[in-house]
Amino acid sequence: MSDMLDQLKEVLDEQVLKDLDFRERNKAVVRNHFKSNREPSREKKRFGLGVLLSFGFTVLFIGFSSYFVLNHLGLTQEENLSNEKKELKEHQEPKSITHPHTKENYEDMTKEDVLHKLFNSVDYFETASGQFERYDLYYDGSISKSTVEYKMSNKGVIGGYEKVTSHPDPNNPQTKETIDKTYYNKENVWRLNLEFNDYSKDENIREKKRKIVKAEDIFNMDPKDIYEYEYREMYRETPPNMAAFASLYNYQFLAKYLRNENEWSIEKQNEQLLEHNTLVIAGTLDDSLVNIMQPDEKDFRIWVDKDTGIIVKEEVYSESGELVSYIHPTSLEINKTFHENEFEPDLDGFQKRRMLDLPPMDEREKELEVIEHADTKLSEVEEVLAIQRDTMPLFYELDDPKITPFSASIEQYHEDLQAFVVYSYDKPENEIGSGSRLLYTRIYPKDTYLRKTGDFDRPLGEEIESTTMNGVQWSLFNVEGTEDVHVKGETGDYVIEIVTHEVSASEMKRLLGTYKKAE
């Protein structure tokens, strides 16, 4: 009984009396009341109206208190049922959290202000959802066009969803519409392909929060490292990779287009776009930064949400003013509330994607080191070729007017140096990139360990012939199932290999006559 009264006191204190303001003046009134009633008047009737009201109030108070205590202690069947219903309801209702209401920013921003927001956008919104169309025109006239719908939550309920609809290229009848979806939460990432009705599921390895990024640190990077994976920690942390990053966290794009601050300016401080107040940047891309896949990119304009640093809209133009790339939005909502079940897929009708059984990685792979590497830009490739001539104990080169070096690298395993060169063969002058006809070459010591690559590891067919040229004993093989050729040569303690792509055996044999030791 004593325990029950103690619990009654706690319940009354916490639930019934918690909002009563019982100050010193109230206590004085109570003390005076008890003092004046110690000797009740004998003239009052024992069972007067006041007594009856007091008695009735007392009965009601005791009844209410008893019922309240029994309910609070879980001693009634109704309360047990109520609790069960409440728990069931909480289990059925998905978790959600509300987010602060955003206010539009109309204050003027400096270049330093806008760069800070752009490179640290992850700090300035909790959730984002929207839709935009993305378009790119490439050197060969082909286009890429897609519609991206997304919702993403950085705080509270962690997760994201995205639907990417890739539209067919009107200039290429072989292309067709495809739809891919991505979901992620704290634990997993799901990627669904709606054409094959399959999906992959991987662990969501969440990146740790990184320190605030300074624009000058990004701009001090070598331009060729902007998109390299090993430099990702130069930028702020992001969720699992999604197409929506082009708007929300496109840090690499900014590192390229805004790196020369003298080449861009703030065109407008305030422009309304999708009910957001944006700042408009206009500029010109330096020729040294032009992407060979989009050689016509020149001028650009970027619409930045002033509150969050999100790229709401983006356009890149050729010198003649033609759009060669853009992001055009149709909606954008900031800090909308999401439920956790919005970030998990319904996998009914989908099968798990079958992954190729890759062989375990050779531990020696960790001991390989890339010493030099360059591709695409001929001037940089030529620099690596010069290093190969100076440092490699044995180095051979192709010398033919139809040959252009496309990439070159030096790798090292322990003390062994290995040279790799990819040549473009008979490439049309108006063709951008490596071209379709290629020669892959590598030179290395006989007993060294080599990185596994698909170009050199394809199964060999029949031997075509053997020959000796320029001090090298050559053997020519067909590549099984193709028209390509794999050539193996030996000279002293070194091995030389050449693999063709769309270059015939007769052409390859002719080229071997030009393959000479570098002086």
Side-chain angles (χ1 to χ4, degrees):
M1 184 66 177
S2 174
D3 292 340
M4 184 176 289
L5 291 175
D6 289 339
Q7 292 186 50
L8 172 60
K9 178 180 181 302
E10 292 177 6
V11 170
L12 293 176
D13 287 342
E14 294 177 4
Q15 304 292 334
V16 180
L17 305 176
K18 68 174 182 176
D19 295 324
L20 292 182
D21 187 8
F22 199 62
R23 303 181 182 181
E24 187 59 36
R25 64 174 180 270
N26 304 105
K27 297 177 183 178
V29 171
V30 174
R31 287 194 292 268
N32 291 336
H33 175 76
F34 277 104
K35 182 177 179 182
S36 62
N37 286 280
R38 282 179 184 169
E39 296 180 1
S41 172
R42 294 180 182 178
E43 295 180 357
K44 290 182 180 179
K45 294 184 180 179
R46 187 170 294 179
F47 293 102
L49 179 59
V51 174
L52 290 173
L53 289 174
S54 297
F55 178 77
F57 176 81
T58 301
V59 171
L60 289 173
F61 178 79
I62 292 173
F64 170 79
S65 300
S66 300
Y67 180 76
F68 185 87
V69 171
L70 291 173
N71 275 317
H72 182 77
L73 297 177
L75 300 178
T76 63
Q77 184 177 7
E78 290 79 9
E79 176 65 16
N80 288 334
L81 293 173
S82 176
N83 284 340
E84 291 176 3
K85 290 179 180 179
K86 182 179 180 182
E87 290 176 3
L88 181 61
K89 182 179 180 182
E90 289 177 349
H91 180 72
Q92 290 175 339
E93 290 183 354
K95 180 183 176 183
S96 65
I97 188 170
T98 56
H99 301 275
H101 179 69
T102 56
K103 295 182 179 179
E104 295 301 320
N105 179 5
Y106 293 94
E107 297 181 2
D108 283 359
M109 298 177 73
T110 64
K111 281 189 174 184
E112 183 180 2
D113 294 334
V114 70
L115 286 172
H116 173 80
K117 280 279 182 75
L118 284 167
F119 281 116
N120 298 280
S121 60
V122 68
D123 288 339
Y124 292 97
F125 66 94
E126 295 189 1
T127 79
S129 60
Q131 179 176 311
F132 61 81
E133 182 177 271
R134 185 168 188 178
Y135 169 87
D136 288 287
L137 172 65
Y138 298 106
Y139 72 94
D140 58 358
S142 63
I143 68 168
S144 170
K145 188 176 181 181
S146 60
T147 300
V148 180
E149 305 171 53
Y150 66 91
K151 47 191 175 185
M152 204 171 292
S153 179
N154 296 325
K155 291 186 179 179
V157 175
I158 303 296
Y161 160 79
E162 174 178 88
K163 176 183 176 182
V164 179
T165 304
S166 299
H167 306 292
D169 182 347
N171 300 321
N172 185 352
Q174 295 182 337
T175 60
K176 57 183 178 180
E177 181 178 280
T178 61
I179 299 176
D180 296 276
K181 292 184 178 182
T182 300
Y183 296 80
Y184 74 89
N185 58 21
K186 286 183 177 180
E187 288 78 31
N188 300 302
V189 181
W190 298 266
R191 300 191 187 276
L192 286 64
N193 183 292
L194 274 66
E195 179 181 2
F196 300 106
N197 287 331
D198 64 1
Y199 72 95
S200 66
K201 179 181 178 182
D202 299 292
E203 180 184 359
N204 182 8
I205 302 175
R206 299 174 64 192
E207 295 182 330
K208 293 182 180 179
K209 186 175 179 65
R210 298 184 188 132
K211 64 181 181 180
I212 291 173
V213 165
K214 295 181 180 179
E216 56 264 32
D217 293 336
I218 298 296
F219 297 150
N220 284 333
M221 292 172 61
D222 191 312
K224 68 182 177 61
D225 296 329
I226 288 175
Y227 295 97
E228 294 298 324
Y229 180 77
E230 57 262 39
Y231 290 92
R232 69 191 185 283
E233 292 191 2
M234 292 291 293
Y235 307 106
R236 291 300 303 274
E237 71 281 0
T238 57
N241 190 34
M242 299 170 74
F245 281 19
S247 172
L248 304 179
Y249 316 105
N250 204 348
Y251 303 139
Q252 287 91 347
F253 168 85
L254 300 168
K256 172 183 173 179
Y257 280 83
L258 302 184
R259 71 180 291 112
N260 295 329
E261 291 191 50
N262 294 329
E263 297 295 328
W264 62 272
S265 61
I266 298 175
E267 185 177 71
K268 290 183 181 179
Q269 281 285 347
N270 299 290
E271 180 169 314
Q272 291 296 309
L273 181 59
L274 296 177
E275 300 182 354
H276 294 277
N277 190 45
T278 67
L279 174 147
V280 185
I281 292 172
T284 300
L285 183 65
D286 188 276
D287 290 341
S288 65
L289 299 171
V290 171
N291 182 350
I292 64 166
M293 300 301 291
Q294 294 179 292
D296 294 331
E297 57 182 356
K298 187 67 175 178
D299 300 318
F300 61 88
R301 187 168 278 107
I302 305 170
W303 286 257
V304 183
D305 179 43
K306 295 176 75 171
D307 300 326
T308 64
I310 290 173
I311 299 173
V312 184
K313 184 179 177 181
E314 162 202 317
E315 292 183 341
V316 181
Y317 319 93
S318 68
E319 199 164 1
S320 63
E322 179 187 9
L323 271 174
V324 298
S325 177
Y326 66 70
I327 289 176
H328 284 173
T330 53
S331 65
L332 174 64
E333 291 186 77
I334 305 298
N335 289 355
K336 180 182 177 181
T337 298
F338 297 116
H339 299 291
E340 60 185 358
N341 65 353
E342 294 182 70
F343 303 135
E344 293 187 16
D346 179 1
L347 297 176
D348 285 349
F350 285 82
Q351 59 182 358
K352 193 164 185 178
R353 191 170 302 147
R354 184 180 177 184
M355 307 302 291
L356 294 175
D357 295 327
L358 299 176
M361 186 183 75
D362 193 309
E363 288 298 315
R364 291 175 293 179
E365 196 89 5
K366 299 176 182 177
E367 301 177 68
L368 276 167
E369 183 180 1
V370 178
I371 305 299
E372 299 288 345
H373 176 75
D375 62 22
T376 306
K377 291 189 176 179
L378 182 58
S379 59
E380 295 179 1
V381 174
E382 290 285 3
E383 290 178 6
V384 176
L385 285 169
I387 297 172
Q388 289 175 327
R389 296 184 194 109
D390 291 339
T391 60
M392 290 293 299
L394 181 73
F395 187 66
Y396 276 69
E397 292 182 88
L398 287 165
D399 183 16
D400 186 276
K402 292 184 177 182
I403 291 291
T404 306
F406 180 75
S407 73
S409 60
I410 302 174
E411 296 193 8
Q412 184 170 359
Y413 177 72
H414 295 172
E415 301 299 321
D416 298 335
L417 293 178
Q418 308 163 0
F420 296 80
V421 183
V422 177
Y423 296 93
S424 299
Y425 177 70
D426 201 18
K427 185 176 70 172
E429 290 184 4
N430 62 347
E431 188 172 12
I432 304 296
S434 65
S436 60
R437 308 180 76 190
L438 299 169
L439 299 167
Y440 301 90
T441 73
R442 66 182 179 184
I443 303 171
Y444 55 89
K446 285 183 178 179
D447 298 325
T448 194
Y449 173 76
L450 291 162
R451 189 183 306 279
K452 302 298 182 185
T453 65
D455 304 314
F456 294 97
D457 292 335
R458 292 184 293 173
L460 298 182
E462 294 182 359
E463 183 175 354
I464 301 172
E465 67 173 287
S466 295
T467 185
T468 301
M469 291 186 185
N470 300 321
V472 182
Q473 177 64 45
W474 297 105
S475 296
L476 285 72
F477 300 87
N478 283 323
V479 176
E480 192 172 284
T482 73
E483 298 296 323
D484 297 333
V485 180
H486 190 144
V487 183
K488 290 188 176 184
E490 289 190 14
T491 176
D493 294 329
Y494 279 80
V495 176
I496 303 174
E497 291 185 83
I498 305 174
V499 177
T500 71
H501 181 72
E502 295 189 13
V503 178
S504 67
S506 60
E507 289 175 296
M508 186 65 249
K509 187 175 179 180
R510 182 188 69 79
L511 288 169
L512 284 178
T514 74
Y515 198 56
K516 298 177 181 180
K517 186 176 180 180
E519 299 297 337

